[in-house]
Amino acid sequence: MDQPKKVNSLAAETVAKFQNSASGFKRWGRKSPFIRYGLPMISLTVLGALGLGHLLQGSKDIAKVKDDQEWEIIETRKALSKTGPVEAYKPKKISLEKELKTLQEKVDINNYEFKRIPRPNDNGKTI
């Protein structure tokens, strides 16, 4: 009969230790609420920001590598340089005065025909 009493007393001691440690943890929250609420909140915020920064940097690196690979493919296919295709289209030098003269030749502003634009509520009436 002596052995079951030892087992029961040992179990009672472990239960008492567990309850003391649990009540000690509860006291932390009452004594200093920063440890219970503030520290987890701040650590979650900081670690979340660092994790997101790491993920974003990884996606930027992947996009850069992919862009470089695509550029190499285009360069080999079309023999491109960084500025454009070799012997590319070279535009003429355009002056504003020449463009104005060509427009004035196309459009004669002195001879025009007056056309009335019908209003939505006119219903086809002419004046």
Side-chain angles (χ1 to χ4, degrees), residues 22-50:
S23 65
F25 182 70
K26 287 181 184 176
R27 266 184 271 146
W28 269 10
R30 287 188 208 122
K31 284 184 179 178
S32 59
F34 175 76
I35 293 175
R36 191 168 184 186
Y37 302 110
L39 192 63
M41 177 72 170
I42 290 172
S43 62
L44 182 69
T45 305
V46 170
L47 292 175
L50 291 173

Side-chain angles (χ1 to χ4, degrees), residues 100-111:
L100 179 63
K101 286 180 184 178
T102 55
L103 279 174
Q104 285 176 344
E105 289 173 0
K106 289 180 184 176
V107 178
D108 186 15
I109 60 171
N110 294 327
N111 298 327

Side-chain angles (χ1 to χ4, degrees), residues 62-109:
I62 290 171
K64 183 179 178 190
V65 167
K66 191 175 181 181
D67 188 41
D68 289 344
Q69 289 173 349
E70 288 177 0
W71 179 257
E72 288 174 5
I73 291 170
I74 291 172
E75 196 173 47
T76 55
R77 281 189 187 167
K78 297 183 179 178
L80 292 176
S81 66
K82 287 284 185 184
T83 57
V86 178
E87 298 177 11
Y89 167 75
K90 295 175 184 170
K92 299 181 276 183
K93 292 186 177 181
I94 300 172
S95 68
L96 290 177
E97 291 81 18
K98 289 181 183 177
E99 289 296 317
L100 179 63
K101 286 180 184 178
T102 55
L103 279 174
Q104 285 176 344
E105 289 173 0
K106 289 180 184 176
V107 178
D108 186 15
I109 60 171

Side-chain angles (χ1 to χ4, degrees), residues 1-14:
M1 285 268 186
D2 197 26
Q3 195 170 6
K5 287 183 181 178
K6 285 184 180 178
V7 171
N8 285 341
S9 66
L10 188 64
E13 287 177 23
T14 55

